[in-house]
Amino acid sequence: MNVATKIDPLKAKDFASDQEVRWCPGCGDYAIIKAMQKTLADIGATRESTVFVSGIGCAARFPYYMSTYGFHTIHGRAAAISTGIKLANPNLDIWVASGDGDSLSIGGNHLLHLLRRNVNLQYLLFNNEIYGLTKGQYSPTSRMGTRSPSTPLGSVESPISACEFALGSGARFVARGVDTQQKHLPGVFQRAWEHQGTSFVEILQNCIVYNDDVFAEFTAKDIAQDRQVHVMHGEPMIFGANEDKGLRVDAESLQLEVVTLGENGISESDILVHDETNPTLARMLATMEAPEYPVALGVLYCDPAETYDASVLAQVQEAKDRLPEADLDEYLRRGHTWTV
Amino acid sequence: MNVATKIDPLKAKDFASDQEVRWCPGCGDYAIIKAMQKTLADIGATRESTVFVSGIGCAARFPYYMSTYGFHTIHGRAAAISTGIKLANPNLDIWVASGDGDSLSIGGNHLLHLLRRNVNLQYLLFNNEIYGLTKGQYSPTSRMGTRSPSTPLGSVESPISACEFALGSGARFVARGVDTQQKHLPGVFQRAWEHQGTSFVEILQNCIVYNDDVFAEFTAKDIAQDRQVHVMHGEPMIFGANEDKGLRVDAESLQLEVVTLGENGISESDILVHDETNPTLARMLATMEAPEYPVALGVLYCDPAETYDASVLAQVQEAKDRLPEADLDEYLRRGHTWTV
Amino acid sequence: MSTAASTAETYETFEDREELESVVIRFAGDSGDGVQVTGGQLTQVTAIAGNDLATFPDFPAEIRAPAGTTYGVSAFQINFGARRIRTAGDQPDVLVAFNPAALKVNIGDMPGGSLIIVDTGAFSDRNMKKAGYETNPLEDQTLDNFRVIEIDISKRTLESVESYGLSQKQALRCKNFWTLGLVYWLYSRDRQPTIDWLNVKFGKLPGIADANIAAINAGHAYGETAELGEEVKGYFVPPAVMPRGLYRTITGADALAYGLVAGANLAGLKLMLGSYPITPASALLHVLAGMKEFGVTTFQAEDEISAVCCAIGASYAGSLGVTSSSGPGVALKTEAIGLAVSTELPLVIVNSQRSGPSTGMPTKTEQSDLYQAVYGRNADAPVPVLAASSPADAFDTAIEAVRIATKYMTPVFLLTDSYIINAAEPWLIPDVSSLPQHKVEFCDDADGFHPFLRDEDTLARVWALPGTPGLEHRIGGLEKDYDSGNISYDPENHHRMTMVRKAKIDGIANDIPEQAVTLGSEEDTVAVVGWGSTYGPINRAVDDLRVEGLPVAHIHVRHLWPLPANMAELLSSFKHVLVAEMNTGQLRTILRSEYLVPAEALNNISGLPFKTTEIKDAVRKLLEG
Amino acid sequence: MSTAASTAETYETFEDREELESVVIRFAGDSGDGVQVTGGQLTQVTAIAGNDLATFPDFPAEIRAPAGTTYGVSAFQINFGARRIRTAGDQPDVLVAFNPAALKVNIGDMPGGSLIIVDTGAFSDRNMKKAGYETNPLEDQTLDNFRVIEIDISKRTLESVESYGLSQKQALRCKNFWTLGLVYWLYSRDRQPTIDWLNVKFGKLPGIADANIAAINAGHAYGETAELGEEVKGYFVPPAVMPRGLYRTITGADALAYGLVAGANLAGLKLMLGSYPITPASALLHVLAGMKEFGVTTFQAEDEISAVCCAIGASYAGSLGVTSSSGPGVALKTEAIGLAVSTELPLVIVNSQRSGPSTGMPTKTEQSDLYQAVYGRNADAPVPVLAASSPADAFDTAIEAVRIATKYMTPVFLLTDSYIINAAEPWLIPDVSSLPQHKVEFCDDADGFHPFLRDEDTLARVWALPGTPGLEHRIGGLEKDYDSGNISYDPENHHRMTMVRKAKIDGIANDIPEQAVTLGSEEDTVAVVGWGSTYGPINRAVDDLRVEGLPVAHIHVRHLWPLPANMAELLSSFKHVLVAEMNTGQLRTILRSEYLVPAEALNNISGLPFKTTEIKDAVRKLLEG
Ligand SMILES: Cc1ncc(C[n+]2csc(CCOP(=O)(O)OP(=O)(O)O)c2C)c(N)n1
Ligand SMILES: Cc1ncc(C[n+]2csc(CCOP(=O)(O)OP(=O)(O)O)c2C)c(N)n1
Ligand code: SF4
Ligand code: SF4
Ligand SMILES: [Mg+2]
Ligand SMILES: [Mg+2]
């Protein structure tokens, strides 16, 4: 993130580019871009110092639709290219927009190292659990048994959990949101932007054409409240349409369990309070799956550490400070020389 | 793993090839190959059905020194090539030998997907926290501040924990051993071999030339017992020269803590019993670092699931069973045809 | 299976109909309009009617762009006739435009006087604005030079399916079949195969099947009863004279898949495909994923590197490893291909080319990855390169690729392109069981064995499989001793090994057919040399020019590396060698360096196949100049 | 810094010494014997003595193979003389063998009558067995045809450092300096620079410094006092006539790094290197990592793809992005290079070539990645290619690469090889501040701006940096409209864009120097054409042949793509064009296709530089035949 100038702030619509949006009608990406444009207005971003970087995929078309700077790169490499941009100009505020295939299939290694290095940028993973742009093959996040053009009998691979992977890769900020939750998503984006370091945000995104309703199990209107928990640092993890369910840790099994307030003598004080700096808790939250568990949304983990770009540039600066008069001609003449 | 023929079992030395071993004198790899040769003899492996596959690096020279089949491939790709070997011939018993750079730098993505897919083979990661073969640059497992030819002022990247990464990638078997522990290592290898699915073993390996004694903090003779805990499923996690230290979970902070038996009323029953099927515990063990914590050795996690190769081949078999007379000529003539 | 005989529809009024030698029809509409399905059905019934044909499906880059936009327009073109058809046609005779955007995008390709069928029901103000029309093209001068059939297809479709209880949206979806019915009437096509297809396709949704059938019948009836205007009457395209035998239509993707499976069968091997999806290559993965009963294993890898590595692993273990991608994906595989070269393992690399550089125009065709195939690796790492020239030809070329890969223990490049993969043509179905075998013999003799023992003739190394007792060995990417297969850093040995790897590949030139003159003879003045999917346009153009009496020949090259042994001599007999390619001149470069022949270039890098006129013009210029 | 003047050692007995025009010395021993350090020191003092020189360090593939094995032998060769030195020498005049394995591996390269210095102390039975000697080579006929100096160097070293309290192991480590002392005496070299170096190097371990100094002095004294035998006396190599100025020795890795930094400075840019370690390319990463005070940022990436992508990102943001690797790593970068071609961003790709294919012989040299550089990408994606011809030349070539990359907004390949990277030669230090500037001007004019606006002359697009208000824009790998820079799938636009990208690169031919005849003239009969590190051997061979009066010229090409504008004409003036390359004929292929010139091939793919005799023989054969 960067400190943005607050003078004459832009509105959400000012962040839309003049290019026609070419996603399928009804695609979850429309909601995400809306939330993003709102976020940029909220944080007072400027167009010129904001850069959207993407790989390839439907999600990766994102930059074209923003009136900021944008780089639509190649499949899976947005993390690496962003690292170069940030090192070259740390004043730029970088958002990566990437699909589940882009990030976790071909781009898995770069994502791992981006997170581990902790480059100061926001990484948005649009998880629709499918390869949209290439017409619907299963992706590394697709559920076991997914039928797709390349798996006519159903996929046999155990899917990866994006947030669990991010945590295992050393991420210092991990959050999750749902495309259509326009009240919630800008807040998550803003937290990501405020965090210094790589902010990893998984956005559950509906692909209406190839994987429609894949999240309906916990996003369908009627059940959403019972199947989602919006976690907030310092707040007990209570959820449910009646706000009567909560999470607790079983100390023996080291597992989370869902309890009901008022049942078996459970009261609010028994409910686990979210501590976003606790990596063990973060992993437990990240792996909760519907229907047994509510799906955890919000900032699952946030524990800042020194950023890579700051450290790298500090070393460069130190070297310059140590040798403020560094002169290449003089440098070339160091050591043994002789005159002919 | 595979069921190996037990007739006329081979001895450890029978698994040595006729090629001269070319690692640096004193390299930890010598101890590892010794433990491996012993393991193969112990499990009654045959030379012809055992294949060592490797990428590039010092560790990756491993196959040349074994009298089995071997494939020394390219940097970072041993996981992918092994997957192909296994799918083509599931009767082969595959061991991958790979360095920390090979596995976690260039090969990180393949390792992630190998683990997630759960291909039935053993993956040995020789972690010397350095790039040996290319003469000593820091690796993704090198400690922050490592001075190396490419980081004359010290590295600024936060290292990855191999076992934590493996767990985050969905590994179903994760173990750790130390090169020189000849009593312990063959047992770990054997457990890996017995496990159905991808068995991930991190071996802490001393590179005497470029990173000597990097593990001395917990492997030096005088302190080893106090700085290591050998975990065993179903056994309390007790360690120390006097067998008087143990691990316990703090239910509030969800963190492990080291306690001393006999102090503050702590008795053996307070000590956490290792449950190798518990992923939360596995991650806590994986991330323990000296000197605050003992380093966890042994099988940290083992929770078998269906293997990828079995599932893939079952689908092929099902298709064949459904159409036992599948005939290409007939197949080509399906659908609309006409005669001229 | 249905055969032409059993379902033939008889157009009693053939006498009234105008006989045409060939016709080119293009359908265009939103991705959601079912344009590709419509085209596919017309292809089927036309094939069954005994015409020769070629098709060109042209996809938009967007999955499903907002309805009505110009960039969401999908098109399908078919050329069919009573003569041999070589291309999908330079210019359509008929355009079916399902909406204003489709008209806008395609009208520029229509010659004056051609027939335009529009669905007036889709020409709402909103749609016209979306398409960028400021005034109604049906009312201004836009269509002045054309014969236009304006029908409110939307409305008529709704009427025709009224009784099936569909929602408005579902009912409108039948529009394409209504139109197809009309086209069937126009060109005397038999409806029955399409009706059969609908019944199978929507077996579980009989309401949908019936509605579509009703629509097709209504469209057909409209043609039969309506006054379509003076100039529009029914046409009749007699069957083409084709070699005898059993036919089907086939796309390049299908032909490739079948050819690879057949090739593996003939070699006695299981096939393992490692692939990562990419347009247009994914189609091969999809087809092979459905052929498990033939012992085919498909692996959707995490990236292209894993895909090729998995295939290499499979070959190492005794399967036929195949990997498939397009240019950007193949780029990622080149390091691993070097490993297959060094370890001398069989591997087939299918590159279904598309427009580049970089992401380029992913749904458009091009043949610009020839450099990459022939030269695109580090170090001296020669690899045979083959190219399919049409959808059906992909079958034979695939078998040949497998033969070479296994006989010579080498990776082989098999080039196709977006056009070949997606287009369809009639295919004389071969009898696979009677094709020549090229069975692989694995080494099982431990006597004097080492993994780089070579066959004296082919220079191929032995293939010894892990699992074989007594042949335990280690291979890898380091240089190997010629005499033992062990690692060697000996300078002379490296020179020798490099040269033997080269000689092995060069020697393949003696194991492939001599280059034939595809059309014409060595006596002609100009040779138009082509490779890959330019076959159709070049062949048609040369054929036409020869009919005019011009001394021009067509030479189409399947074996691009090594080139056939007689190539030097053959090319030297022409005054002009014109290499027509959908790139900036890549085969031309190779021919020039190999034979020092002053080959000239005709390049089209538009993402679309050549038009025959471009080729004719270029040849005429050479002959005149 | 020390200068020759201040430390010169005077060999009073120059009269007694035999004067030599040049001499070739090879040191060989275990990796642990300090062979490379020894060679480095001799290089320094020889340079300071005013000789011209060239070196060839030859590393084993193993990091530190078990002592005494043949595959653990490390070697260093230096050629120095009173004339211009072009190569490290075909054959050594002197071999210093620190152990039996070193003798075994190197004796085959020694001409009869040459001088062999052996440390008899290392010729234990165990060591001889390890080296594969069945009988003692010092006692059998092995060395019959040589002049042999047998000294128990080990013992004498131990004696000389006795008083410094070192362990036996540490003491023995001084062996190389003892030997160096002897060599210094043999060739009248000044010890002082090495003594100074030791004092700096072991500043914190004065004991070690002093012991090594004692060893060097002892070795020197041994030469001065000992009877080395009739045939062995002191030699004297007078200074060479070299252009005036201030000199230092430089390796290719250093020269490359300095050249890139200088080039970036002259362009007014910061430099960002993205690289993943690989032999021999890592050296560039190491040198640049130590130049942070010049605003250099180095990024050790997780793989080669990340490395090049990071560099592309840096260029996008306004730095000079550089990436460096060897063939297998460059293979992985090719997809991303296509992105840089498509987005037209500057990028310098350094390929330090090594023996292949695949892993090949990683520590050996080769120049077989030319195809990869010129042709090795998917689609039509032309990229300029330059090659450095020697360690020092890498400096100038790097500056030129930066100039072209930034002026033309294009990736540029800069080829070096294992030999150039590791070898050292004297370098006339340039005055960077007076070199011609090629300052980059970033776009800041929003008027009519779009990101693919082109310069009329160069056809380069504008470079507009993120962060600039008013110029916000999006770029990517999809095809772009020529007139707006927006995504375009228009067929004609794609043709136009492909052609303009090609024209831009082709046009560079007019912005580079005409190809000069490096030695000789257009009047000669044979032109030996080379590129890269074959410069030395070709130049020496041609020079020698010309001295014999033979009509042969040397043409050395720096700009390999596009080739200089006058190349066609130049080559046509020779009866024979012989392309000498350390590959199977890659530049030859390019010259043939570009100019239809019947270029012939001289190939050496042994992992070692050409010997001048090979080249001379080939030229003689051409002239005779
Ligand atoms: C090197 C390379 N390989 C493959 C592709 C083809 N490709 C484009 S996008 C994509 C996956 C898209 O899936 P995802 O990242 O989940 O994005 P979505 O379309 O679902 O938003 C693939 C395989 C490519 N463009 N480049
Ligand atoms: C494509 C490619 N990139 C880089 C290299 C160079 N390389 C060889 S091994 C290696 C890293 C070795 O480190 P590690 O895997 O930890 O093995 P170790 O030598 O420490 O056992 C590198 C970078 C290569 N061979 N191929
Ligand atoms: S295919 Fe799916 S993800 Fe892509 S634009 Fe359409 S709905 Fe969205
Ligand atoms: S460099 Fe290190 S890891 Fe490699 S062989 Fe030597 S000691 Fe072992
Ligand atoms: Mg997706
Ligand atoms: Mg390592």
Side-chain angles (χ1 to χ4, degrees), chain C residues 299-546:
Chain C
F299 172 67
Q300 179 177 308
E302 61 272 22
D303 64 12
E304 286 85 355
I305 300 174
S306 166
V308 65
C309 284
C310 180
I312 291 172
S315 286
Y316 171 73
S319 285
L320 174 71
V322 179
T323 191
S324 160
S325 192
S326 295
V330 172
L332 292 168
K333 297 179 197 281
T334 58
E335 190 212 356
I337 294 169
L339 176 66
V341 168
S342 171
T343 53
E344 302 186 45
L345 283 168
L347 174 70
V348 177
I349 308 133
V350 183
N351 181 347
S352 299
Q353 301 163 94
R354 63 185 215 185
S355 291
S358 196
T359 312
M361 309 196 300
T363 55
K364 306 294 172 196
T365 201
E366 200 159 285
Q367 33 178 208
S368 53
D369 297 345
L370 182 61
Y371 282 161
Q372 186 192 45
V374 176
Y375 297 124
R377 285 163 296 286
N378 56 301
D380 286 303
V383 165
V385 180
L386 279 69
S389 58
S390 76
D393 185 59
F395 181 83
D396 302 321
T397 311
I399 293 178
E400 175 71 345
V402 176
R403 181 186 75 86
I404 294 177
T406 51
K407 180 165 175 186
Y408 290 90
M409 297 291 284
T410 178
V412 172
F413 265 99
L414 171 46
L415 302 178
T416 73
D417 62 25
S418 186
Y419 174 76
I420 289 180
I421 285 291
N422 292 316
E425 64 180 356
W427 183 43
L428 176 57
I429 309 175
D431 189 3
V432 176
S433 58
S434 66
L435 292 175
Q437 302 264 329
H438 46 245
K439 213 146 229 86
V440 164
E441 285 190 26
F442 295 113
C443 177
D444 59 2
D445 185 1
D447 199 30
F449 169 82
H450 76 78
F452 284 82
L453 271 180
R454 293 181 189 279
D455 179 280
E456 273 179 32
D457 291 332
T458 61
L459 298 177
R461 77 169 182 97
V462 292
W463 195 358
L465 300 192
T468 317
L471 299 190
E472 292 83 4
H473 65 271
R474 275 67 54 193
I475 62 172
L478 288 166
E479 187 57 285
K480 289 144 276 278
D481 184 71
Y482 189 95
D483 297 311
S484 71
N486 289 329
I487 300 175
S488 166
Y489 298 114
D490 180 70
E492 276 162 40
N493 177 73
H494 177 55
H495 188 94
R496 184 176 184 193
M497 287 294 283
T498 303
M499 288 308 186
V500 79
R501 282 186 292 260
K502 178 168 160 26
K504 178 176 85 167
I505 303 305
D506 288 346
I508 295 172
N510 305 316
D511 189 23
I512 56 177
E514 292 216 324
Q515 179 64 50
V517 181
T518 313
L519 205 63
S521 79
E522 301 177 36
E523 256 74 89
D524 289 311
T525 309
V526 175
V528 184
V529 179
W531 64 280
S533 73
T534 54
Y535 176 85
I538 297 176
N539 203 261
R540 169 55 56 217
V542 169
D543 206 352
D544 289 356
L545 292 169
R546 292 180 63 80

Side-chain angles (χ1 to χ4, degrees), chain A residues 5-55:
Chain A
T5 344
K6 282 282 180 191
I7 331 151
D8 198 12
L10 299 164
K11 304 213 174 55
K13 69 169 174 33
D14 296 328
F15 289 99
S17 80
D18 60 350
Q19 298 293 297
E20 256 174 299
V21 184
R22 300 187 181 190
W23 288 307
C24 305
C27 175
D29 291 344
Y30 285 95
I32 301 173
I33 206 163
K34 197 170 147 209
M36 176 53 65
Q37 287 164 350
K38 175 171 186 324
T39 305
L40 293 185
D42 289 351
I43 61 178
T46 68
R47 284 192 283 236
E48 67 269 21
S49 58
T50 304
V51 186
F52 281 86
V53 183
S54 67

Side-chain angles (χ1 to χ4, degrees), chain A residues 20-25 30 56 61 74-75 77 101 105-106 131-133 135 137-138 149-150 152-153 157 209-210, chain C residues 59 61-67 69 71 276-279 282 285-286 289-290 292 300-304 332 358-359:
Chain A
E20 256 174 299
V21 184
R22 300 187 181 190
W23 288 307
C24 305
Y30 285 95
I56 300 287
R61 294 295 178 93
I74 44 175
H75 197 34
R77 318 302 175 191
S105 202
I106 193 167
Y131 293 166
L133 191 71
K135 308 207 167 175
Q137 299 86 1
Y138 77 112
S150 55
L153 308 179
E157 291 172 38
V209 173
Y210 295 114
Chain C
F59 303 100
E62 277 71 32
I63 300 301
R64 202 170 286 174
T69 57
Y71 50 83
Y276 183 68
I278 187 168
T279 304
S282 315
L285 167 63
H286 303 167
K292 296 191 171 52
Q300 179 177 308
E302 61 272 22
D303 64 12
E304 286 85 355
L332 292 168
S358 196
T359 312

Side-chain angles (χ1 to χ4, degrees), chain B residues 29 56-60 74-75 77 98-103 106 126 128 130-134 137 139 205, chain C residues 335, chain D residues 276-279 304 325 328-329 332 354 359:
Chain B
D29 291 345
I56 299 287
C58 295
I74 45 177
H75 197 33
R77 318 303 175 190
S98 173
D100 45 315
D102 200 46
S103 290
I106 192 167
F126 295 47
N128 55 13
I130 209 80
Y131 293 165
L133 192 71
T134 48
Q137 300 86 0
S139 94
Q205 176 242 329
Chain C
E335 190 212 356
Chain D
Y276 183 67
I278 187 168
T279 305
E304 285 84 354
S325 191
L332 292 168
R354 63 186 215 184
T359 312

Side-chain angles (χ1 to χ4, degrees), chain B residues 95-146:
Chain B
W95 298 84
V96 174
S98 173
D100 45 315
D102 200 46
S103 290
L104 293 171
S105 202
I106 192 167
N109 203 31
H110 308 304
L111 178 55
L112 149 63
H113 289 278
L114 179 81
L115 293 169
R116 169 175 86 78
R117 291 195 183 103
N118 200 28
V119 180
N120 191 11
L121 52 76
Q122 295 76 246
Y123 195 103
L124 311 180
L125 191 152
F126 295 47
N127 188 0
N128 55 13
E129 301 192 356
I130 209 80
Y131 293 165
L133 192 71
T134 48
K135 309 209 164 170
Q137 300 86 0
Y138 78 113
S139 94
T141 56
S142 296
R143 322 275 161 93
M144 188 90 94
T146 299

